[in-house]
Amino acid sequence: MAKLNKNQQKAATTTEGKVLILAGAGSGKTRVLVHRIAHLIQGKKISPTAILGLTFTNKAAEEMRERVAHMVSKEEASAVTLSTFHSFCMRILRKEIHRLGFTQKFTLYDEKDMRRLIMQVAEELYEGEEELALEPIITSISYLKGKGMTPSEKEPFVKEVYEGLRTAMRAYNALDFDSLLTLTVELFETFPEVLEKYQDRFRYIMIDEYQDTNPIQYRLASLLSEKHGNLCVVGDDDQSIYAWRGAEVEHILNFPADVTVKLEQNYRSTSHILKAANAVIRNNVHRHDKVLEANAGEGETLEIFNAPTEQDEVEAVIKRMLQLKEEKNYRWKEMAILYRSNNIARSFELSLMQTVWRKGEQWVRGIPYQVFGGLGFFERAEVKDLMAYLRITSNPKDQEALLRIVNYPRRGISDKTLDTITQFNRQKRLPLMAVMEKIAADAYPELELTSRGTQGIKNFMILYQGMTEKFQSASLSEALKWLVEKIDYKNAIFNEVKSDKGREFKWENVQACISALQTYEKEEDPTLHDFLSSSMLNKKTIDKKDRFGEDKLNLMTFHSAKGLEFPAVFLVGLEDQLIPHAKSQTKEGIEEERRLLYVAITRAMETLCLSMARKRTQHGKLVSCNPSRFLFEIPKEILKVTSWK
């Protein structure tokens, strides 16, 4: 306990009744929870089996268990129940679910399983000829389960699908992740004797990240704790950023605490960074009053840059990162670029891929990076398609690339036709492109392909011939632009994607591919082969998720950054309509967006740089942007306006 500050000690030793621990960013809440568990076991002589700790991630639960094991015996630590809400409910249902008409050997369906089942149920109910829009139905059902509600009469079709889904799940003896919680609550409310059994076992309950609980999680905690009343909730209302997935900040704002303890000493960030965070968040009306205090000294003033265009912003940020790497000897993994919307990452990825920088005594092309909280640019289907076209232009023997796009957009070449010719090319040990070239010249009548399939191959070979000629005679970007128009790729995307937003996003990615080639052409002796090589090298780094051990720059959304920290942080795209987001303009929405920026600011430990653009491409058009209104809430004396040039 001597290692804890005064408020941390109070939080760790106040064990009876309803306790609210308001743990500000970087204030050591995990340390407090671990000491609290150890105090219950060693100081209060509470049986470890009577302690329940609920978290939102397996990683958090395991970290807590490991740290508890360093303070008490391993046997005692393993007897404490530390798990996620879902794992805890799974454990209960494995023993008790027979009471609800399921068997104990139920199957847990994942997201893909549920999509298929919802589609099956919906199609049985739906008699129309048009294709069903499944996304709104799936979203509604998940939202209702999180709220512990059922569909109203105002949504008759969703109600029918919901009821049909319940029937099907019982018939298949299957549950989904949302049902783990809803059925546990149903079990407790239907069978009081079952609830009492678990109430008597778990007499001391702790919930981490309480600001992120949804109504069904809130109900579960209330039921379990109502007999003995020892419920300790830990969290920070200023970091409640998940309303879009059902979390309700009111749970922590209105918690009926017998004792409230504030952890305001921050062990992560410098004073200037915390001054910015405090200044922004104090503008929220609905919050517990608290002020983070730095333990790490005053630190540097914050740098802020207002770029003419988004590409100027990208180039300036990368240049400043290279300077910081040189000045402070930062590794790439110690820096992060954070943004509100995933599509901002695209411009950074393309420029990072092409940046030339000094590594020791050598000059190298491409800054290593990894993308979190969304698909990387080169992982997206439309980008993969275009890269496949470029790959077969550069290397006609690239069979994987050829198979990807030979019938996309559709040319009448069926899977059966492709299967026939790929078997033939393996037997003859010929490149697939060579076989298709012969088929187009009617040289293999023994294959007995359909006339439609043969014509599709002929059409593709005509296209391929045109591609090779175009890439030899025109610039790379002009050739790709010609190809996109030639295959009518825009129409293919618009036919495939139903939502306007999805169509626009995919089409913007296509335009970004062309722009990437335009940028690359400015290099000395640009070749298609070199462009593809550098692109694929970066794709390999993107594909490997969650690898902080490797020295790679981190790109992620504000949401994905929660719980992480970096010595140097760049917050980019700080413009109105992006933060606060255009779709979050209600009073509640603005407050959550402000909390989101607060979370982003408090990820920084030593260096915090803010940037925005006066013009940005949106929906294919260059539009003027205003700085985020939140920036005007930061005191001017801690800001240093810079050009980063």
Side-chain angles (χ1 to χ4, degrees), residues 263-369:
L263 305 182
E264 299 172 291
Q265 189 72 45
N266 176 283
Y267 295 93
R268 176 190 299 156
S269 308
T270 62
S271 177
H272 282 320
I273 292 170
L274 295 184
K275 280 180 183 175
N278 289 328
V280 168
I281 202 64
R282 75 165 60 102
N283 290 280
N284 272 3
V285 175
H286 302 289
R287 64 183 292 263
H288 288 290
D289 184 35
K290 53 191 173 302
V291 179
L292 290 180
E293 297 175 3
N295 198 59
E298 189 174 73
E300 308 163 353
T301 53
L302 282 56
E303 297 181 39
I304 186 166
F305 176 52
N306 191 356
T309 68
E310 61 187 308
Q311 190 55 41
D312 291 318
E313 179 190 26
V314 169
E315 291 171 5
V317 166
I318 292 174
K319 184 172 183 178
R320 183 61 183 137
M321 280 194 304
L322 288 167
Q323 289 171 350
L324 284 173
K325 188 170 174 59
E326 187 74 24
E327 293 167 7
K328 301 197 175 188
N329 203 28
Y330 284 144
R331 290 172 291 177
W332 290 120
K333 67 179 181 180
E334 294 178 313
M335 295 189 278
I337 297 174
L338 309 184
Y339 36 80
R340 173 64 178 89
S341 299
N342 269 314
N343 57 354
I344 290 179
R346 177 176 54 211
S347 300
F348 280 96
E349 286 191 67
L350 295 170
S351 291
L352 288 167
M353 182 186 77
Q354 295 166 4
T355 298
V356 175
W357 60 287
R358 193 177 185 87
K359 185 178 183 182
E361 298 300 314
Q362 295 180 311
W363 289 94
V364 296
R365 177 186 296 280
I367 292 173
Y369 67 92

Side-chain angles (χ1 to χ4, degrees), residues 135-163:
E135 289 304 324
I137 300 170
I138 293 168
T139 303
S140 292
I141 289 173
S142 183
Y143 178 80
L144 289 164
K145 285 186 176 183
K147 294 285 187 183
M149 299 162 56
T150 55
S152 69
E153 299 297 334
K154 294 178 182 179
E155 299 177 290
F157 187 60
V158 173
K159 186 178 175 68
E160 285 187 48
V161 173
Y162 182 86
E163 290 170 354

Side-chain angles (χ1 to χ4, degrees), residues 86 107-120 134-142 145 165 169 174-180 244-245:
H86 290 89
T107 301
L108 189 61
Y109 277 8
D110 64 14
E111 190 176 337
K112 287 184 178 178
D113 295 327
M114 288 303 295
R115 289 181 70 88
R116 277 195 296 270
L117 187 55
I118 290 173
M119 184 183 296
Q120 177 186 321
L134 278 183
E135 289 304 324
I137 300 170
I138 293 168
T139 303
S140 292
I141 289 173
S142 183
K145 285 186 176 183
L165 188 62
M169 296 292 274
L175 275 62
D176 66 334
F177 284 94
D178 292 327
S179 298
L180 290 173
W244 52 276
R245 67 184 190 198

Side-chain angles (χ1 to χ4, degrees), residues 494-540:
F494 278 44
N495 286 336
E496 188 178 85
V497 181
K498 299 302 176 186
S499 72
D500 289 340
K501 184 179 178 182
R503 289 170 171 175
E504 288 170 2
F505 186 72
K506 281 180 174 287
W507 184 241
E508 284 175 4
N509 284 336
V510 171
Q511 299 302 310
C513 272
I514 296 170
S515 297
L517 277 171
Q518 286 175 335
T519 304
Y520 173 70
E521 285 164 352
K522 297 173 185 175
E523 302 291 331
E524 189 176 344
D525 299 324
T527 67
L528 183 56
H529 174 75
D530 285 346
F531 175 78
L532 290 168
S533 297
S534 58
S535 302
M536 295 309 292
L537 280 171
N538 272 284
K539 181 185 180 301
K540 282 187 179 180

Side-chain angles (χ1 to χ4, degrees), residues 402-522:
L402 179 55
L403 287 171
R404 182 179 181 93
I405 49 82
V406 67
N407 195 43
Y408 190 79
R410 298 194 179 281
R411 300 183 178 90
I413 306 172
S414 67
D415 290 344
K416 185 178 179 181
T417 297
L418 282 175
D419 188 48
T420 300
I421 62 175
T422 50
Q423 284 185 33
F424 184 77
N425 94 286
R426 282 196 294 269
Q427 290 167 6
K428 296 288 186 180
R429 296 188 178 180
L430 291 170
L432 184 58
M433 185 68 84
V435 172
M436 290 174 57
E437 195 173 0
K438 293 279 189 181
I439 292 171
D442 299 318
Y444 291 131
E446 67 269 28
L447 287 177
E448 297 182 353
L449 303 178
T450 63
S451 58
R452 188 163 184 254
T454 302
Q455 188 57 51
I457 290 171
K458 287 181 177 180
N459 291 341
F460 178 79
M461 293 310 300
I462 292 169
L463 172 69
Y464 172 70
Q465 187 62 38
M467 284 163 53
T468 54
E469 292 172 1
K470 196 71 179 177
F471 274 91
Q472 288 170 1
S473 62
S475 69
L476 297 178
S477 59
E478 286 172 355
L480 181 57
K481 190 174 181 180
W482 170 89
L483 174 64
V484 167
E485 292 173 358
K486 187 72 176 176
I487 63 176
D488 198 9
Y489 195 48
K490 185 174 186 178
N491 196 41
I493 289 173
F494 278 44
N495 286 336
E496 188 178 85
V497 181
K498 299 302 176 186
S499 72
D500 289 340
K501 184 179 178 182
R503 289 170 171 175
E504 288 170 2
F505 186 72
K506 281 180 174 287
W507 184 241
E508 284 175 4
N509 284 336
V510 171
Q511 299 302 310
C513 272
I514 296 170
S515 297
L517 277 171
Q518 286 175 335
T519 304
Y520 173 70
E521 285 164 352
K522 297 173 185 175

